[in-house]
């Protein structure tokens, strides 16, 4: 079994964020890096952002989970509004055309995780450096789409509508 150079995996994600126009000087950059770190080990955190992932990042950085959510959102907005348009060009290319609008926090974090797994030929789920991460629905079998925050919200609305 090939040993994964875990720090290189995180640094590659940080390089990608810089290339997309996320400034290193803002808190959201650090929070996104931490999100990548946590989610590579525990993919299920992608399904429990507020009560899971954001709290872990907040504990690591000694801030509130609200600050984490805001910081990540602002980092994504900074890249989305960057005049170069790098993120707007990158997303459709690297998501199989799934993302053509500004991604939510969860969508962007999922994309970072998925791109690392694809680039480094890691399993869609399972063990990374001896730590188990269970399967989550964010990576489809054909590796082209995820269950996004928007899709979950739409499904919730559909199920409520069908109950009426």
């Amino acid at each position: 079994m090939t040993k994964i150079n875990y720090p290189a995996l995180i640094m590659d994600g940080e390089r990608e964020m810089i290339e997309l126009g996320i400034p290193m000087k803002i808190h959201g950059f650090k929070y996104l890096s931490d999100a990548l770190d946590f989610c590579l080990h525990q993919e299920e955190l992608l399904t429990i952002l507020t009560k899971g992932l954001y709290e872990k990042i907040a504990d690591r950085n000694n801030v509130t989970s609200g600050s984490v959510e805001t910081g990540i959102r602002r980092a994504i907005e900074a890249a989305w509004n960057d005049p170069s348009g790098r993120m707007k060009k990158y997303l459709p290319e690297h998501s199989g055309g799934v993302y053509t609008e500004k991604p939510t926090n969860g969508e962007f974090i999922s994309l970072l995780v998925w791109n690392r797994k694809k680039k480094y030929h890691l399993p869609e789920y399972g063990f990374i450096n001896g730590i188990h991460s269970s399967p989550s629905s964010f990576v489809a079998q054909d590796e082209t789409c995820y269950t996004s925050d928007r899709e979950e919200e739409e499904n919730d609305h559909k199920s409520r509508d069908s109950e009426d």
Side-chain angles (χ1 to χ4, degrees):
M1 179 176 207
T2 306
K3 178 121 172 104
I4 298 165
N5 184 345
Y6 190 71
L9 205 66
I10 301 300
M11 286 175 50
D12 185 56
E14 291 173 343
R15 179 196 48 76
E16 183 174 4
M17 289 187 292
I18 292 166
E19 288 175 1
L20 291 174
I22 298 175
M24 288 179 65
K25 65 183 178 185
I26 62 175
H27 294 291
F29 182 91
K30 170 72 169 107
Y31 301 154
L32 281 166
S33 179
D34 289 343
L36 180 59
D37 183 8
F38 284 122
C39 290
L40 281 169
H41 286 95
Q42 289 181 276
E43 284 181 32
E44 62 270 12
L45 289 173
L46 289 166
T47 63
I48 48 172
L49 294 179
T50 304
K51 295 289 184 185
L53 181 60
Y54 294 163
E55 285 185 3
K56 284 182 168 282
I57 296 168
D59 288 345
R60 182 181 277 184
N61 292 281
N62 210 20
V63 296
T64 66
S65 58
S67 296
V68 171
E69 185 278 328
T70 301
I72 291 173
R73 184 170 25 85
R74 288 183 178 164
I76 294 168
E77 287 170 359
W80 189 256
N81 295 324
D82 185 289
S84 70
R86 290 176 288 199
M87 187 177 213
K88 291 176 184 174
K89 294 174 194 162
Y90 172 90
L91 284 175
E93 293 172 8
H94 289 82
S95 69
V98 173
Y99 299 123
T100 55
E101 299 176 12
K102 183 179 78 171
T104 64
N105 289 4
E107 290 169 341
F108 188 72
I109 294 166
S110 294
L111 188 62
L112 285 175
V113 171
W114 182 71
N115 282 340
R116 301 291 72 70
K117 288 186 170 233
K118 185 176 175 186
K119 183 175 183 177
Y120 289 89
H121 309 289
L122 301 174
E124 288 184 14
Y125 58 88
F127 287 89
I128 297 181
N129 286 350
I131 299 173
H132 184 263
S133 60
S134 62
S136 70
S137 61
F138 87 102
V139 177
Q141 288 298 79
D142 63 356
E143 298 184 350
T144 58
C145 63
Y146 327 107
T147 299
S148 68
D149 297 344
R150 282 192 194 106
E151 288 171 344
E152 289 175 15
E153 289 169 10
E154 288 171 7
N155 290 337
D156 287 344
H157 290 297
K158 285 178 187 173
S159 65
R160 277 189 237 131
D161 291 343
S162 65
E163 292 171 1
D164 294 335

